Amino acid sequence: MTHPTMSINDQQQHLLRRLPGVDHLILLAQDDPVLRFVPKTIMVRSIRETLEELRRRILSAPQTIDEDHLAQSFLLEQVSQKAASLQASNLQRTINATGVVIHTNLGRSCLAQAAVSHMAGIAGRYSNLEFNLEEGRRGSRYSAVEELLCELSGAEAAMAVNNNAAAVLLCLETLARGKAVVVSRGELVEIGGSFRIPDVMAKSGAVLKEVGTTNRTHLRDYQNAISTDTGLLLKVHTSNFSIVGFTAAVSLRDLAALGRQFNLPVMEDLGSGNFIDLTQYGLAAEPTVQDSVSAGADVITFSGDKLLGGPQAGLIVGRRDILERVKANPLTRALRIDKLTLAALEATLRLYRDEAQAIAQIPTLRMLLTQRSEIEGRAAMLADGLRRLEDDRLTVALHDLPSRAGGGSLPLLELPSCCVSVSLAGHSANRLESALRAGRPPIIGRIENDLLIMDPRTLHEEELEIIVRAFGEILKLLTD
Ligand SMILES: *Cc1c(COP(=O)(O)O)cnc(C)c1O
């Protein structure tokens, strides 16, 4: 209500006096068909916050308030919306339109249906997690995946822990605490999210012994560094970067031979481990776990949720005597894998028994190997849907832009893709990006050259329709 004759102050007084009290709204909410089912604490908090916001707006911008804002029905609607947002999950399903397949910030890998089902089945019931059903006595939680990991990798023994960072820490602590670990300078990597090999090594109590130079390390560098203090020779897969040009690195096979000669264990942190040779599908060479086992590494660690496409986990495979020492380390208890992860991991690993099945059913692999032609089809569908919104302000176009593997896997690889760009006259790409991000479910795209870009490589079929609907809402919201 704007009263032209009133001073702002009088008008504010007038509006403030008309605000109902908290108790009055509580009474009304108790009869409201939606709010009556909201927990009392949430209801009261929503009422208080709604009134507080309105009060602040009356004081700061009274000209934006009129009679309608003080109507009971409007207030109750505001309270309902606030209650709904207070009750919504913080962790929510999010649409990844970035084209980065293994997107660590968006949860890395989506699980295969078989993994989701097995996990759900185990979650709500008791299980034989640590119970040996044949002998009717206590069993080991590691047995659920050990045989499978051995079968797939060719290793003698295996186990799974919380993540690969934990696997590296645990192996270093077991094999080299208080001893020197020889590692090439070119492999002292930092993985996103502040995992630095030198820092993890320090925490394990092992002493880093760097050899070689950033771009070149030779077998003699390792050999010259070996002394009576040496506990381990370590090789780290330089996941997220590549040194090109005048380079030299020692192969795992040669390092393993050196280790045998000096009776020292050789460990490899593979980073993004994987059981399928992706070069046959046109992707760059990423070493497989089997390669590392047959090259002679004594212990190998890798992630469950990078190229493998399973849940967050750290997998350790290698020599039986070494794995026995690792399992006996008290630190293992602090880093252990939980039963839901174990269920998802087991189901994922089973899919790898049949390569075609793994590629068809594990979303990470399927997305990485999706052909450009198929993505172009999805891009066209998305573009069509957006054009059907028939808003003159919207410009929709297709672009040949690459997707990325992400997760520190295949760092230089550009996967040919077909992306959809959208711009909205009168609004920046940043505004559009934030509006999509604020939606339910949130949609995460990327911005390039001041254009909002969406890459359908990482979109599920049903998400195209969700995106079109979200744009429909945004167009209504973002008026000129
Ligand atoms: C990703 C990565 C890690 C950490 O693995 P998480 O599963 O994320 O803990 C360790 N080492 C290398 C080489 C990696 O690429």
Side-chain angles (χ1 to χ4, degrees), residues 108 163-166 168 189 191 195 197 236-240 269-272 302-306 312-314 407-408:
R108 280 207 184 149
N163 60 5
N164 188 31
V168 173
V189 298
I191 316 295
F195 174 90
I197 287 289
V236 181
H237 185 51
T238 54
S239 308
N240 52 1
D269 172 10
L270 252 186
S272 189
F302 54 103
S303 286
D305 56 354
K306 289 185 179 172
Q312 176 193 306

Side-chain angles (χ1 to χ4, degrees), residues 5-68:
T5 54
M6 271 187 193
S7 72
I8 287 289
N9 219 341
D10 289 345
Q11 191 192 335
Q12 286 168 326
Q13 294 287 348
H14 175 73
L15 290 169
L16 287 175
R17 270 197 304 273
R18 302 234 13 224
L19 271 184
V22 172
D23 291 340
H24 181 64
L25 276 184
I26 290 177
L27 284 177
L28 292 177
Q30 277 163 351
D31 286 334
D32 183 89
V34 178
L35 283 168
R36 57 196 284 214
F37 296 113
V38 170
K40 186 84 185 276
T41 52
I42 297 293
M43 186 208 281
V44 173
R45 184 170 155 195
S46 305
I47 289 170
R48 281 190 206 288
E49 289 183 9
T50 301
L51 290 174
E52 184 50 39
E53 274 166 29
L54 208 50
R55 199 170 289 121
R56 252 182 281 136
R57 214 169 120 195
I58 291 171
L59 293 174
S60 64
Q63 67 283 4
T64 65
I65 308 274
D66 59 32
E67 204 72 20
D68 292 347

Side-chain angles (χ1 to χ4, degrees), residues 346-364:
E346 180 187 0
T348 305
L349 292 174
R350 276 187 200 289
L351 293 173
Y352 276 96
R353 283 178 158 165
D354 177 342
E355 190 169 308
Q357 179 178 255
I359 287 169
Q361 295 185 24
I362 295 173
T364 296

